[in-house]
Amino acid sequence: ANEPVDGRSDLYSVGMLLWQMMLGDLPFPAKNQAVMMNSHLSAPRRRVDALCAHVRARLPGPVKLHELAQVSGLSQRSLQLLFKRHLGCTPMQWVRQARLDLVRDRLMRARPGDTVTTLALDCGFPQLGGFSQAYRDRFGELPSDTLRQTLQHG
């Protein structure tokens, strides 16, 4: 008697509605936002945060823009605009920053015998030409200084 017109169960319909809300296709009802993780963030921002978590989980492996677009369900251009709006950079600039963070973490946990070159290569920097400058720009010191300090105090 109360069968949905399309033959789908009510549970399926509710599930699809929740999925659409999670993807940002529909707004969350205000009373449900309080129970959602990161409810203070907009749906597009939650999408960016989910993509960032996806990237961190994949590092130090390769990350390509077209793969991020595929995972997000957005076009590459929409993905670029989304990152620019919420993080102030492109997705690939953010990936580079995440790689720099990973190298710094490894440099700060380095052991005797570790080198900047080995750690940078292990973290996905195949070309070391701009690596040291990018590291210095981000952290205010050269990676060799971070390694030296770690080994002296470790």
Side-chain angles (χ1 to χ4, degrees):
N2 289 334
E3 282 292 312
V5 175
D6 62 4
R8 295 181 177 156
S9 72
D10 287 340
L11 185 57
Y12 176 84
S13 298
V14 169
M16 289 305 296
L17 182 63
L18 289 173
W19 179 249
Q20 288 174 318
M21 283 189 240
M22 291 294 289
L23 292 177
D25 295 334
L26 295 173
F28 284 101
K31 67 179 183 178
N32 291 337
Q33 283 186 337
V35 298
M36 297 304 298
M37 185 188 325
N38 297 327
S39 63
H40 62 287
L41 301 175
S42 67
R45 179 56 196 244
R46 285 192 303 271
R47 182 180 276 184
V48 168
D49 290 347
L51 282 169
C52 291
H54 172 79
V55 168
R56 281 190 204 97
R58 293 193 47 141
L59 291 180
V63 177
K64 306 282 187 198
L65 181 60
H66 72 272
E67 292 168 349
L68 292 177
Q70 186 177 9
V71 167
S72 70
L74 297 172
S75 70
Q76 290 182 23
R77 180 72 180 136
S78 293
L79 185 60
Q80 298 236 1
L81 293 172
L82 186 68
F83 267 71
K84 276 282 195 190
R85 179 174 176 217
H86 291 283
L87 300 179
C89 63
T90 68
M92 297 316 292
Q93 288 170 332
W94 188 89
V95 169
R96 183 179 174 95
Q97 298 303 314
R99 285 190 193 285
L100 289 168
D101 293 344
L102 182 61
V103 172
R104 183 168 179 82
D105 179 64
R106 292 189 180 178
L107 286 168
M108 295 179 83
R109 295 184 295 117
R111 300 177 185 266
D114 287 341
T115 66
V116 170
T117 299
T118 302
L119 294 173
L121 290 171
D122 288 349
C123 292
F125 286 97
Q127 303 295 327
L128 299 178
F131 164 72
S132 288
Q133 186 60 48
Y135 187 96
R136 183 179 199 162
D137 291 346
R138 182 147 174 92
F139 301 112
E141 66 183 10
L142 292 170
S144 57
D145 295 336
T146 304
L147 179 61
R148 184 175 22 265
Q149 290 171 16
T150 298
L151 295 177
Q152 286 175 351
H153 297 90

